[in-house]
Coordinates of all heavy atoms in Angstrom, one line a residue:
M1143 N -4.6 17.5 -44.7 CA -4.7 16.1 -44.3 C -4.3 15.3 -45.5 O -4.7 15.6 -46.7 CB -6.1 15.8 -43.9 CG -6.3 14.4 -43.5 SD -7.9 13.6 -43.9 CE -8.2 13.9 -45.5
D1144 N -3.6 14.3 -45.3 CA -3.3 13.3 -46.4 C -3.8 11.9 -46.0 O -3.7 11.6 -44.8 CB -1.8 13.2 -46.6 CG -1.1 14.5 -47.1 OD1 -1.7 15.2 -47.9 OD2 0.0 14.9 -46.6
C1145 N -4.3 11.1 -46.9 CA -4.8 9.8 -46.6 C -4.9 9.0 -47.9 O -4.6 9.5 -49.1 CB -6.1 9.9 -45.9 SG -7.4 10.6 -46.9
T1146 N -5.3 7.8 -47.7 CA -5.6 6.9 -48.8 C -7.1 6.6 -48.7 O -7.6 6.3 -47.7 CB -4.7 5.6 -48.8 OG1 -3.3 6.0 -48.8 CG2 -5.0 4.7 -50.0
V1147 N -7.8 6.6 -49.9 CA -9.2 6.4 -49.9 C -9.5 5.3 -51.0 O -9.0 5.5 -52.2 CB -10.0 7.6 -50.2 CG1 -11.5 7.4 -50.3 CG2 -9.7 8.7 -49.2
S1148 N -10.3 4.4 -50.7 CA -10.8 3.4 -51.7 C -12.2 3.8 -52.2 O -13.1 4.0 -51.4 CB -10.8 1.9 -51.1 OG -9.5 1.5 -50.8
V1149 N -12.3 4.0 -53.5 CA -13.5 4.4 -54.1 C -14.0 3.2 -55.0 O -13.3 2.8 -55.9 CB -13.4 5.6 -54.9 CG1 -14.7 6.0 -55.5 CG2 -12.9 6.8 -54.0
P1150 N -15.2 2.7 -54.8 CA -15.7 1.6 -55.6 C -15.8 2.1 -57.0 O -16.2 3.2 -57.3 CB -17.2 1.3 -55.0 CG -17.2 1.9 -53.7 CD -16.2 3.1 -53.7
R1151 N -15.6 1.1 -57.9 CA -15.6 1.5 -59.4 C -17.0 1.8 -59.8 O -17.2 2.6 -60.8 CB -15.1 0.3 -60.2 CG -13.6 0.1 -60.1 CD -13.2 -1.0 -61.1 NE -11.7 -1.2 -61.1 CZ -10.9 -0.6 -61.9 NH1 -11.4 0.2 -62.9 NH2 -9.6 -0.8 -61.8
N1152 N -18.1 1.3 -59.2 CA -19.4 1.6 -59.5 C -20.1 2.8 -58.8 O -21.3 3.0 -58.8 CB -20.3 0.3 -59.4 CG -20.4 -0.1 -58.0 OD1 -19.7 0.4 -57.1 ND2 -21.2 -1.2 -57.8
A1153 N -19.2 3.5 -58.1 CA -19.7 4.7 -57.3 C -20.3 5.7 -58.2 O -19.9 5.9 -59.3 CB -18.7 5.3 -56.4
A1154 N -21.4 6.4 -57.8 CA -22.0 7.5 -58.5 C -21.0 8.6 -58.6 O -20.3 9.0 -57.7 CB -23.3 7.9 -57.9
G1155 N -21.1 9.3 -59.8 CA -20.2 10.5 -60.0 C -18.8 10.1 -60.4 O -18.5 9.0 -60.7
D1156 N -17.9 11.2 -60.3 CA -16.6 11.0 -60.7 C -15.7 10.6 -59.4 O -16.2 10.5 -58.3 CB -16.0 12.2 -61.3 CG -16.0 13.5 -60.5 OD1 -16.3 13.3 -59.2 OD2 -15.8 14.6 -61.0
L1157 N -14.4 10.4 -59.7 CA -13.5 10.0 -58.5 C -13.5 11.0 -57.4 O -13.5 10.6 -56.3 CB -12.1 9.7 -59.1 CG -11.2 8.9 -58.3 CD1 -11.7 7.6 -57.9 CD2 -9.8 8.8 -59.1
E1158 N -13.4 12.2 -57.7 CA -13.4 13.3 -56.7 C -14.6 13.2 -55.8 O -14.5 13.3 -54.6 CB -13.2 14.6 -57.2 CG -13.0 15.7 -56.2 CD -12.7 17.1 -56.7 OE1 -12.1 17.2 -57.8 OE2 -13.1 18.1 -56.0
T1159 N -15.8 13.1 -56.4 CA -17.1 13.0 -55.7 C -17.0 11.8 -54.8 O -17.5 11.9 -53.6 CB -18.2 12.8 -56.7 OG1 -18.3 14.0 -57.5 CG2 -19.5 12.8 -55.9
G1160 N -16.5 10.6 -55.2 CA -16.4 9.5 -54.4 C -15.5 9.7 -53.2 O -15.9 9.3 -52.0
V1161 N -14.4 10.4 -53.4 CA -13.5 10.7 -52.2 C -14.2 11.6 -51.3 O -14.2 11.5 -50.1 CB -12.2 11.3 -52.8 CG1 -11.4 12.0 -51.6 CG2 -11.4 10.3 -53.5
R1162 N -14.9 12.7 -51.8 CA -15.6 13.7 -51.0 C -16.7 13.0 -50.2 O -16.8 13.2 -49.0 CB -16.2 14.8 -51.8 CG -15.2 15.8 -52.4 CD -15.9 16.9 -53.2 NE -15.0 17.9 -53.7 CZ -14.6 18.9 -52.9 NH1 -15.1 19.1 -51.7 NH2 -13.7 19.8 -53.4
D1163 N -17.4 12.1 -50.7 CA -18.4 11.3 -50.1 C -17.9 10.5 -48.9 O -18.4 10.5 -47.8 CB -19.2 10.4 -51.0 CG -20.1 11.2 -51.9 OD1 -20.4 12.4 -51.8 OD2 -20.6 10.5 -52.9
R1164 N -16.7 9.8 -49.2 CA -16.1 9.0 -48.2 C -15.6 9.8 -47.0 O -15.8 9.4 -45.9 CB -15.0 8.2 -48.8 CG -14.4 7.1 -48.1 CD -15.2 5.9 -47.9 NE -15.2 5.2 -49.2 CZ -15.9 4.0 -49.4 NH1 -16.5 3.5 -48.4 NH2 -15.9 3.4 -50.5
L1165 N -14.9 10.9 -47.3 CA -14.4 11.7 -46.2 C -15.5 12.5 -45.5 O -15.4 12.6 -44.3 CB -13.3 12.7 -46.8 CG -12.0 12.0 -47.4 CD1 -11.1 13.1 -48.0 CD2 -11.3 11.2 -46.4
G1166 N -16.4 13.1 -46.3 CA -17.4 13.8 -45.7 C -18.4 13.1 -44.8 O -19.1 13.7 -43.9
G1167 N -18.4 11.8 -44.9 CA -19.3 10.9 -44.2 C -18.8 10.6 -42.8 O -19.5 10.0 -42.0
A1168 N -17.6 11.0 -42.5 CA -17.0 10.7 -41.1 C -17.6 11.7 -40.1 O -17.9 12.8 -40.3 CB -15.5 10.9 -41.2
D1169 N -17.8 11.1 -38.9 CA -18.3 11.8 -37.7 C -17.3 13.0 -37.5 O -16.1 12.9 -37.5 CB -18.3 11.0 -36.5 CG -19.4 10.0 -36.5 OD1 -20.4 10.2 -37.4 OD2 -19.4 9.0 -35.8
G1170 N -17.9 14.2 -37.3 CA -17.1 15.3 -36.9 C -16.6 16.1 -38.1 O -16.0 17.2 -38.0
V1171 N -16.8 15.6 -39.4 CA -16.4 16.4 -40.6 C -17.5 17.2 -41.0 O -18.6 16.7 -41.4 CB -15.9 15.4 -41.7 CG1 -15.6 16.3 -43.0 CG2 -14.7 14.7 -41.3
D1172 N -17.4 18.6 -41.0 CA -18.4 19.5 -41.3 C -18.4 19.8 -42.8 O -19.5 20.0 -43.4 CB -18.3 20.8 -40.5 CG -18.5 20.6 -39.0 OD1 -19.2 19.7 -38.6 OD2 -17.9 21.3 -38.3
A1173 N -17.2 19.8 -43.4 CA -17.2 20.1 -44.9 C -15.8 19.6 -45.4 O -14.9 19.6 -44.7 CB -17.3 21.6 -45.1
V1174 N -15.9 19.2 -46.7 CA -14.7 18.9 -47.4 C -14.5 20.0 -48.3 O -15.2 20.2 -49.3 CB -14.8 17.5 -48.1 CG1 -13.5 17.2 -49.0 CG2 -15.2 16.4 -47.2
E1175 N -13.4 20.9 -48.1 CA -13.3 22.1 -48.8 C -12.5 21.9 -50.2 O -12.8 22.3 -51.2 CB -12.6 23.1 -48.0 CG -13.5 23.7 -46.9 CD -12.9 24.9 -46.2 OE1 -11.7 25.0 -46.2 OE2 -13.7 25.7 -45.7
E1176 N -11.3 21.2 -50.0 CA -10.5 21.0 -51.2 C -10.1 19.5 -51.2 O -9.8 18.9 -50.2 CB -9.2 21.8 -51.1 CG -9.4 23.2 -51.3 CD -8.1 24.0 -51.3 OE1 -7.1 23.5 -51.7 OE2 -8.1 25.2 -50.7
V1177 N -10.0 18.9 -52.5 CA -9.5 17.6 -52.7 C -8.5 17.6 -53.8 O -8.7 18.1 -54.9 CB -10.6 16.6 -53.0 CG1 -10.1 15.3 -53.4 CG2 -11.6 16.5 -51.9
D1178 N -7.3 17.2 -53.5 CA -6.3 17.0 -54.5 C -5.9 15.5 -54.7 O -5.3 15.0 -53.8 CB -5.0 17.8 -54.1 CG -3.9 17.8 -55.1 OD1 -4.2 17.5 -56.3 OD2 -2.8 18.1 -54.7
L1179 N -6.3 15.0 -55.8 CA -6.0 13.6 -56.1 C -4.5 13.5 -56.5 O -4.2 14.1 -57.5 CB -6.9 13.1 -57.2 CG -8.4 13.3 -56.9 CD1 -9.2 12.8 -58.2 CD2 -8.9 12.6 -55.6
Q1180 N -3.7 12.7 -55.7 CA -2.3 12.7 -56.0 C -1.8 11.5 -56.7 O -0.8 11.4 -57.2 CB -1.5 13.0 -54.7 CG -1.9 14.4 -54.2 CD -1.1 14.7 -52.9 OE1 -0.6 13.8 -52.3 NE2 -1.0 15.9 -52.6
G1181 N -2.5 10.4 -56.5 CA -2.2 9.1 -57.2 C -3.4 8.2 -57.2 O -4.2 8.2 -56.3
I1182 N -3.4 7.3 -58.2 CA -4.5 6.4 -58.3 C -3.9 5.0 -58.6 O -3.0 4.8 -59.5 CB -5.4 6.7 -59.5 CG1 -6.0 8.1 -59.3 CG2 -6.5 5.7 -59.7 CD1 -6.7 8.7 -60.5
R1183 N -4.4 3.9 -57.9 CA -3.9 2.6 -58.0 C -5.2 1.8 -58.3 O -6.0 1.6 -57.4 CB -3.2 2.1 -56.8 CG -2.6 0.7 -57.0 CD -1.7 0.3 -55.8 NE -2.5 0.4 -54.6 CZ -2.3 0.9 -53.5 NH1 -1.2 1.7 -53.4 NH2 -3.0 1.0 -52.4
P1184 N -5.4 1.2 -59.5 CA -6.6 0.5 -59.8 C -6.5 -0.9 -59.1 O -5.5 -1.6 -59.0 CB -6.6 0.3 -61.3 CG -5.2 0.6 -61.7 CD -4.5 1.4 -60.7
G1185 N -7.8 -1.3 -58.6 CA -7.9 -2.6 -58.1 C -9.1 -3.3 -58.8 O -9.7 -2.7 -59.7
L1186 N -9.3 -4.5 -58.5 CA -10.4 -5.3 -59.1 C -11.7 -4.6 -59.0 O -12.5 -4.5 -59.9 CB -10.5 -6.7 -58.6 CG -11.5 -7.7 -59.2 CD1 -11.2 -7.8 -60.6 CD2 -11.4 -9.0 -58.5
N1187 N -12.1 -4.2 -57.8 CA -13.5 -3.7 -57.5 C -13.4 -2.2 -57.2 O -14.5 -1.6 -57.0 CB -14.1 -4.5 -56.4 CG -14.4 -5.9 -56.8 OD1 -14.8 -6.1 -57.9 ND2 -14.1 -6.8 -55.9
D1188 N -12.2 -1.6 -57.0 CA -12.2 -0.2 -56.5 C -10.9 0.4 -57.1 O -10.1 -0.2 -57.7 CB -12.2 -0.1 -55.0 CG -11.1 -0.8 -54.3 OD1 -10.1 -1.2 -55.0 OD2 -11.2 -1.0 -53.1
L1189 N -10.9 1.7 -56.8 CA -9.7 2.6 -57.2 C -9.2 3.1 -55.8 O -9.9 3.6 -55.0 CB -10.0 3.7 -58.1 CG -10.7 3.3 -59.4 CD1 -11.2 4.5 -60.1 CD2 -9.6 2.7 -60.2
T1190 N -7.9 2.8 -55.5 CA -7.3 3.4 -54.3 C -6.6 4.7 -54.7 O -5.7 4.7 -55.6 CB -6.3 2.4 -53.8 OG1 -7.0 1.2 -53.5 CG2 -5.6 2.9 -52.5
V1191 N -7.0 5.7 -54.0 CA -6.5 7.1 -54.3 C -5.8 7.7 -53.2 O -6.2 7.6 -52.0 CB -7.8 8.0 -54.6 CG1 -7.3 9.4 -55.1 CG2 -8.7 7.3 -55.7
T1192 N -4.6 8.2 -53.5 CA -3.8 9.0 -52.5 C -4.3 10.4 -52.6 O -4.4 11.0 -53.7 CB -2.3 8.9 -52.8 OG1 -1.9 7.6 -52.9 CG2 -1.5 9.6 -51.7
V1193 N -4.7 11.0 -51.5 CA -5.4 12.2 -51.4 C -4.7 13.2 -50.5 O -4.4 12.8 -49.4 CB -6.8 12.0 -51.0 CG1 -7.6 13.3 -50.9 CG2 -7.6 11.1 -52.0
S1194 N -4.8 14.5 -50.9 CA -4.5 15.6 -49.9 C -5.8 16.4 -49.9 O -6.3 16.8 -51.0 CB -3.3 16.4 -50.5 OG -3.1 17.5 -49.5
A1195 N -6.3 16.6 -48.7 CA -7.6 17.3 -48.7 C -7.6 18.3 -47.5 O -6.8 18.2 -46.5 CB -8.7 16.4 -48.4
S1196 N -8.4 19.3 -47.6 CA -8.8 20.3 -46.5 C -10.1 20.1 -46.1 O -11.1 20.1 -46.8 CB -8.6 21.7 -47.1 OG -7.2 22.0 -47.5
L1197 N -10.2 19.8 -44.8 CA -11.5 19.6 -44.2 C -11.8 20.7 -43.1 O -10.9 21.2 -42.4 CB -11.5 18.2 -43.5 CG -11.1 17.0 -44.3 CD1 -11.1 15.7 -43.4 CD2 -12.0 16.8 -45.5
V1198 N -13.1 20.9 -42.9 CA -13.6 21.7 -41.7 C -14.1 20.6 -40.7 O -15.0 19.9 -41.1 CB -14.7 22.7 -42.1 CG1 -15.2 23.4 -40.9 CG2 -14.2 23.6 -43.2
V1199 N -13.5 20.6 -39.5 CA -13.9 19.6 -38.5 C -14.3 20.3 -37.3 O -14.0 21.4 -37.0 CB -12.8 18.6 -38.3 CG1 -12.4 17.8 -39.6 CG2 -11.6 19.3 -37.7
D1200 N -15.1 19.5 -36.4 CA -15.6 20.1 -35.1 C -14.6 19.8 -34.0 O -14.6 20.4 -33.0 CB -17.0 19.7 -34.8 CG -17.1 18.2 -34.7 OD1 -16.2 17.5 -34.6 OD2 -18.3 17.7 -34.5
D1201 N -13.8 18.7 -34.1 CA -12.9 18.4 -33.1 C -11.6 17.8 -33.7 O -11.5 16.6 -34.1 CB -13.5 17.3 -32.2 CG -12.6 16.8 -31.1 OD1 -11.5 17.5 -30.9 OD2 -12.9 16.0 -30.3
S1202 N -10.5 18.6 -33.8 CA -9.4 18.3 -34.5 C -8.6 17.1 -33.9 O -7.9 16.4 -34.5 CB -8.4 19.5 -34.6 OG -8.1 20.0 -33.4
A1203 N -8.7 17.0 -32.5 CA -8.0 15.9 -31.8 C -8.4 14.5 -32.3 O -7.6 13.6 -32.3 CB -8.2 16.1 -30.3
E1204 N -9.6 14.3 -32.7 CA -10.2 13.0 -33.1 C -10.3 12.8 -34.5 O -10.8 11.7 -35.0 CB -11.5 12.8 -32.5 CG -11.5 12.8 -30.9 CD -10.7 11.6 -30.3 OE1 -10.8 10.5 -30.9 OE2 -9.9 11.9 -29.4
T1205 N -9.8 13.7 -35.4 CA -10.1 13.7 -36.8 C -9.5 12.4 -37.4 O -10.2 11.7 -38.2 CB -9.5 14.9 -37.5 OG1 -10.2 16.1 -37.0 CG2 -9.8 14.8 -39.0
A1206 N -8.2 12.1 -37.2 CA -7.6 11.0 -37.9 C -8.3 9.7 -37.5 O -8.6 8.8 -38.3 CB -6.1 10.9 -37.5
A1207 N -8.6 9.5 -36.2 CA -9.3 8.3 -35.8 C -10.7 8.1 -36.4 O -11.1 7.1 -36.8 CB -9.3 8.2 -34.2
R1208 N -11.4 9.2 -36.4 CA -12.8 9.2 -37.0 C -12.7 8.9 -38.5 O -13.5 8.1 -39.0 CB -13.5 10.5 -36.8 CG -13.8 10.7 -35.3 CD -14.5 12.1 -35.1 NE -14.9 12.2 -33.8 CZ -15.4 13.4 -33.3 NH1 -15.6 14.4 -34.1 NH2 -15.8 13.5 -32.1
L1209 N -11.7 9.4 -39.2 CA -11.6 9.1 -40.6 C -11.2 7.7 -40.8 O -11.8 7.0 -41.7 CB -10.6 10.1 -41.3 CG -11.1 11.4 -41.5 CD1 -9.9 12.4 -41.8 CD2 -12.2 11.5 -42.6
E1210 N -10.3 7.2 -40.1 CA -9.8 5.7 -40.2 C -10.9 4.8 -39.8 O -10.9 3.6 -40.2 CB -8.5 5.5 -39.5 CG -7.4 6.2 -40.2 CD -6.0 5.9 -39.6 OE1 -6.0 5.5 -38.4 OE2 -5.0 6.1 -40.3
D1211 N -11.9 5.2 -39.0 CA -13.1 4.3 -38.7 C -14.0 4.1 -39.9 O -14.7 3.2 -40.0 CB -13.9 5.0 -37.6 CG -13.3 4.8 -36.3 OD1 -12.3 3.9 -36.1 OD2 -13.7 5.4 -35.3
R1212 N -13.8 5.0 -40.9 CA -14.6 4.9 -42.1 C -14.1 3.7 -43.0 O -12.8 3.6 -43.2 CB -14.6 6.1 -43.0 CG -15.2 7.4 -42.3 CD -16.6 7.5 -42.4 NE -17.0 7.6 -43.8 CZ -18.2 7.2 -44.3 NH1 -19.1 6.8 -43.5 NH2 -18.5 7.4 -45.5
F1213 N -14.9 2.9 -43.5 CA -14.5 1.9 -44.5 C -13.8 2.5 -45.7 O -14.3 3.5 -46.3 CB -15.7 1.0 -44.9 CG -15.3 -0.1 -45.9 CD1 -14.7 -1.3 -45.4 CD2 -15.5 0.1 -47.2 CE1 -14.4 -2.2 -46.3 CE2 -15.1 -0.9 -48.1 CZ -14.6 -2.1 -47.7
G1214 N -12.7 2.0 -46.0 CA -12.0 2.5 -47.2 C -11.1 3.7 -46.9 O -10.5 4.2 -47.9
V1215 N -10.9 4.2 -45.8 CA -10.0 5.3 -45.5 C -8.9 4.8 -44.6 O -9.1 4.2 -43.6 CB -10.8 6.5 -44.8 CG1 -9.8 7.6 -44.5 CG2 -11.9 6.9 -45.7
S1216 N -7.6 5.1 -45.0 CA -6.5 4.7 -44.2 C -5.3 5.6 -44.4 O -5.3 6.6 -45.1 CB -6.1 3.2 -44.7 OG -5.7 3.3 -46.1
E1217 N -4.3 5.3 -43.6 CA -3.1 6.1 -43.7 C -3.3 7.6 -43.5 O -2.8 8.4 -44.2 CB -2.3 5.8 -44.9 CG -2.0 4.3 -45.1 CD -1.3 4.0 -46.4 OE1 -0.7 5.0 -47.1 OE2 -1.3 2.9 -46.8
V1218 N -4.1 8.0 -42.5 CA -4.5 9.4 -42.4 C -3.4 10.1 -41.6 O -3.0 9.7 -40.6 CB -5.8 9.5 -41.6 CG1 -6.2 10.9 -41.3 CG2 -7.0 8.8 -42.4
E1219 N -3.0 11.3 -42.2 CA -2.0 12.2 -41.5 C -2.7 13.5 -41.5 O -3.0 14.1 -42.5 CB -0.7 12.2 -42.3 CG 0.1 10.9 -42.3 CD 1.3 11.0 -43.0 OE1 1.9 12.1 -43.1 OE2 1.7 10.0 -43.6
V1220 N -2.9 14.1 -40.3 CA -3.6 15.4 -40.1 C -2.7 16.5 -39.8 O -1.8 16.3 -38.9 CB -4.7 15.2 -39.1 CG1 -5.4 16.5 -38.8 CG2 -5.7 14.2 -39.5
E1221 N -2.8 17.6 -40.5 CA -2.1 18.8 -40.1 C -3.1 19.8 -39.7 O -3.9 20.2 -40.6 CB -1.2 19.2 -41.2 CG -0.5 20.5 -40.9 CD 0.4 21.0 -42.2 OE1 0.7 20.2 -43.0 OE2 0.7 22.2 -42.2
L1222 N -3.1 20.3 -38.5 CA -4.0 21.2 -38.0 C -3.7 22.6 -38.5 O -2.5 23.1 -38.4 CB -4.1 21.3 -36.5 CG -5.1 22.3 -35.8 CD1 -6.5 22.0 -36.3 CD2 -5.0 22.2 -34.4
R1223 N -4.6 23.3 -39.1 CA -4.5 24.7 -39.5 C -5.7 25.5 -39.0 O -6.8 25.1 -39.1 CB -4.4 24.9 -41.0 CG -3.2 24.2 -41.6 CD -3.2 24.4 -43.1 NE -2.2 23.6 -43.7 CZ -2.1 23.2 -44.9 NH1 -3.1 23.5 -45.7 NH2 -1.1 22.5 -45.4
T1224 N -5.4 26.7 -38.5 CA -6.5 27.5 -38.1 C -6.4 28.8 -38.8 O -5.3 29.3 -39.1 CB -6.4 27.8 -36.5 OG1 -5.2 28.3 -36.2 CG2 -6.6 26.5 -35.7
G1225 N -7.6 29.4 -39.1 CA -7.6 30.7 -39.8 C -7.3 30.6 -41.2 O -7.2 29.4 -41.7
P1226 N -7.2 31.6 -41.9 CA -7.0 31.7 -43.3 C -5.7 31.1 -43.7 O -4.7 31.2 -42.9 CB -7.1 33.1 -43.8 CG -7.5 33.9 -42.6 CD -7.4 33.0 -41.4
P1227 N -5.5 30.4 -44.9 CA -4.3 29.9 -45.3 C -3.2 30.9 -45.5 O -3.3 32.0 -45.7 CB -4.5 29.1 -46.6 CG -5.9 29.5 -47.1 CD -6.5 30.3 -45.9

């Protein structure tokens, strides 16, 4: 899955933790397995991060919509993979 995530500058932990918290809080996301930070654009109050991530989800059909419902998550592109990589 690829997306853009906004992480507040005052978020606890490091940037990857902020991304994991934002993605993992979406309905239907059981786990955030891998996060690859691909680009960072600083803003006044947050950092906008381009991310490639592997998630474990309970319903793949609704994953993009559920992630985009989260504040600070946009431009979600989901690629469904089943089984081992």
Side-chain angles (χ1 to χ4, degrees):
M1143 180 214 53
D1144 296 320
C1145 66
T1146 301
V1147 179
S1148 294
V1149 178
R1151 287 186 177 265
N1152 64 352
D1156 61 11
L1157 193 55
E1158 183 177 333
T1159 300
V1161 169
R1162 285 179 177 276
D1163 289 347
R1164 190 74 73 178
L1165 297 177
D1169 289 340
V1171 175
D1172 296 329
V1174 179
E1175 291 190 330
E1176 291 182 34
V1177 172
D1178 181 20
L1179 307 177
Q1180 298 183 340
I1182 301 171
R1183 188 176 58 235
L1186 181 61
N1187 297 316
D1188 60 13
L1189 299 170
T1190 302
V1191 185
T1192 305
V1193 176
S1194 180
S1196 295
L1197 309 176
V1198 176
V1199 297
D1200 62 9
D1201 181 9
S1202 61
E1204 297 295 320
T1205 300
R1208 288 178 179 175
L1209 286 166
E1210 287 183 340
D1211 283 346
R1212 299 277 298 158
F1213 178 79
V1215 179
S1216 60
E1217 302 175 19
V1218 176
E1219 295 180 29
V1220 174
E1221 178 182 339
L1222 178 61
R1223 294 183 188 154
T1224 57

